[in-house]
Amino acid sequence: MSLACATCPVRDRAACSVLSEADRDTLSKSGRHVDLKRGDTLFHAGDEGNACATLLTGALKVTRIDSEGNERILALIHPAGFIGELFRPFSDYDVVALGESRLCLFGRGDMENALDQHPALARALLRRAQEDLHASRELLAMAGKNSAEEKIATLIMALAQAASDSPCHPAQRFELPLTRGEIANLLGVTIETVSRQLSKLEKTGVIVKNGSRGIEIVDPARLRFMSDLSS
Amino acid sequence: MSLACATCPVRDRAACSVLSEADRDTLSKSGRHVDLKRGDTLFHAGDEGNACATLLTGALKVTRIDSEGNERILALIHPAGFIGELFRPFSDYDVVALGESRLCLFGRGDMENALDQHPALARALLRRAQEDLHASRELLAMAGKNSAEEKIATLIMALAQAASDSPCHPAQRFELPLTRGEIANLLGVTIETVSRQLSKLEKTGVIVKNGSRGIEIVDPARLRFMSDLSS
DNA sequence: CGGTGGCTTGACGGCGCTCAATTCATGTGG
DNA sequence: CCACATGAATTGAGCGCCGTCAAGCCACCG
């Protein structure tokens, strides 16, 4: 079952884009597509990590259950992202779809073989891993901000950026891939605080809410000022 | 100037440990040792990232200055850790020594050549990157905990673990590599809160303070309970 | 129609931030 | 060796943001 790399929505950005046409076709023979809907689990914490995947469309969350039984969201995965701990016997996290998502799934062994045969692929994955690390540190910086207002503003900017097709400026209107509870969890605040902050942003004319998930950014400058990103 | 890999303190754990004796010697010819003392900067944010390094002894912090001019600590590097963004034109973070530290420094070009010639090295670096990612997510989980008590307890456990030579159990006595201000910064609380929490831990008989940096863990079980790590 | 899950809004109290004073540790010059 | 300066750490007092608890709203669905 060969994959249609030619029509892949992330063919220019995913790790496999560094391979030649021929090599990519070879690798594609060992992969397959997987479709998930919101709430579907791709990997369970504790499973043996014998698969990895590239996200084509949709969004995923990486979570862990802490000792009190609370879910903690530790990362978001966007299209072209790579998931899979190649070097641990077990995966440490749950990976769950936040919406309709399509992935390109590979067996661990196949991927490891491909890594050995194609140094360029190893470098591409290394690059991805460093980008993930960067993203995680961004998240850490966001979680460390003192006020809830700052956290929410920063997250909205980041999600608007991710929802945009242009890498340079954020989408003006978009749908939050996360519920209030997930936002709260990610930022380390409560649902009520998230809800209040969003209401305040709407009342002060910075955003407009469309239903519970839709966001329209009315005053990007002020939003950016509130989040004051250096990056 | 060849490096003495044979006596390297992290020769079994660093990325280069996957190389054969001969290959490691070849790589070592292009590297050199660097010694830093507390406060010395290894990389500046904005510098062109044309070097990378493995930490042999000591500890480093990875920081960024936010738009308000406050330092934010985003990661700690312990011996055998690898530093260097191989795929970005500029480094995004400052990397500063927390104490007397020794590193093994390589030029970016040399390292990239080595990566292409030795797939095993690329895989080792990929593994390290995933470990860094894991550590960053641990930090994120810690920063997201609600109470300051939990954060401090978790950090002390983690630092005790890092200070121990045994991978399974924490050191009973050790020196904090961080000042109160750095701890506060890392955890997203204030200096005063850190100080108060440490005093409370001492008053309740969980730890004993030796000077401003020394920590002795008297009741590891209670400390672990307070931090309730699942990992 | 009632039930369910997600979201919003309000009232209240506590944890931690702010501001401020004091103590401690360290190094420097007389 | 002491006096002093300097910076870090500790401790206290007061207040504000946000967490907790609770009630109500909205959309969707059986």
Side-chain angles (χ1 to χ4, degrees), chain A residues 109-226:
Chain A
D110 292 330
M111 183 56 72
E112 290 187 340
N113 289 339
L115 279 187
D116 286 337
Q117 282 165 26
H118 307 294
L121 184 60
R123 292 183 55 168
L125 277 191
L126 186 52
R127 175 176 202 148
R128 281 235 65 86
Q130 293 201 353
E131 282 171 11
D132 287 347
L133 185 57
H134 190 69
S136 180
R137 287 174 177 171
E138 288 294 329
L139 220 48
L140 191 58
M142 182 168 65
K145 298 193 185 266
N146 20 15
S147 76
E149 177 178 322
E150 248 177 308
K151 292 185 190 181
I152 294 281
T154 307
L155 182 65
I156 292 179
M157 285 302 294
L159 290 177
Q161 195 67 257
S164 163
D165 10 74
S166 146
C168 45
H169 64 81
Q172 197 213 334
R173 299 169 60 97
F174 67 102
E175 296 278 312
L176 295 171
L178 304 160
T179 67
R180 296 289 184 275
E182 285 164 340
I183 295 173
N185 183 315
L186 189 61
L187 298 180
V189 299
T190 60
I191 291 181
E192 296 92 324
T193 299
V194 173
S195 186
R196 272 187 262 266
Q197 291 299 332
L198 285 176
S199 296
K200 195 166 80 173
L201 284 178
E202 186 169 39
K203 201 170 300 177
T204 55
V206 178
I207 65 170
V208 172
K209 290 187 282 183
N210 279 335
S212 57
R213 298 293 192 83
I215 293 287
E216 179 178 350
I217 299 178
V218 177
D219 191 340
R222 195 135 49 101
L223 189 59
R224 167 154 275 141
F225 176 74
M226 287 192 292

Side-chain angles (χ1 to χ4, degrees), chain B residues 67-137:
Chain B
S67 52
E68 287 139 0
N70 306 312
E71 174 181 286
R72 287 270 347 172
I73 299 180
L74 299 172
L76 301 180
I77 312 270
H78 296 293
F82 179 84
I83 322 104
E85 319 248 345
L86 291 176
F87 303 107
R88 293 171 177 274
F90 301 101
S91 68
D92 295 305
Y93 310 108
D94 292 317
V95 179
V96 179
L98 289 170
E100 308 283 312
S101 301
R102 163 161 282 202
L103 299 102
C104 214
L105 193 73
F106 297 94
R108 177 171 172 160
D110 292 330
M111 184 55 74
E112 290 187 340
N113 289 339
L115 279 186
D116 286 337
Q117 282 166 26
H118 307 294
L121 184 60
R123 292 181 55 168
L125 277 190
L126 186 53
R127 177 176 201 146
R128 280 234 65 87
Q130 294 200 353
E131 281 170 11
D132 287 347
L133 185 57
H134 189 70
S136 179
R137 288 175 176 169

Side-chain angles (χ1 to χ4, degrees), chain B residues 147-148 189-190 192-193 196:
Chain B
S147 76
V189 299
T190 60
E192 295 92 324
T193 299
R196 272 186 262 267

Side-chain angles (χ1 to χ4, degrees), chain B residues 186-231:
Chain B
L186 188 63
L187 299 181
V189 299
T190 60
I191 291 181
E192 295 92 324
T193 299
V194 173
S195 186
R196 272 186 262 267
Q197 291 299 331
L198 286 176
S199 297
K200 196 167 77 173
L201 284 178
E202 186 169 39
K203 200 169 301 176
T204 54
V206 178
I207 65 171
V208 172
K209 290 188 280 182
N210 279 335
S212 57
R213 298 292 192 84
I215 293 288
E216 179 179 350
I217 300 179
V218 178
D219 191 341
R222 196 134 49 101
L223 189 60
R224 167 155 274 144
F225 176 73
M226 288 192 289
S227 71
D228 56 31
L229 288 169
S230 49
S231 57

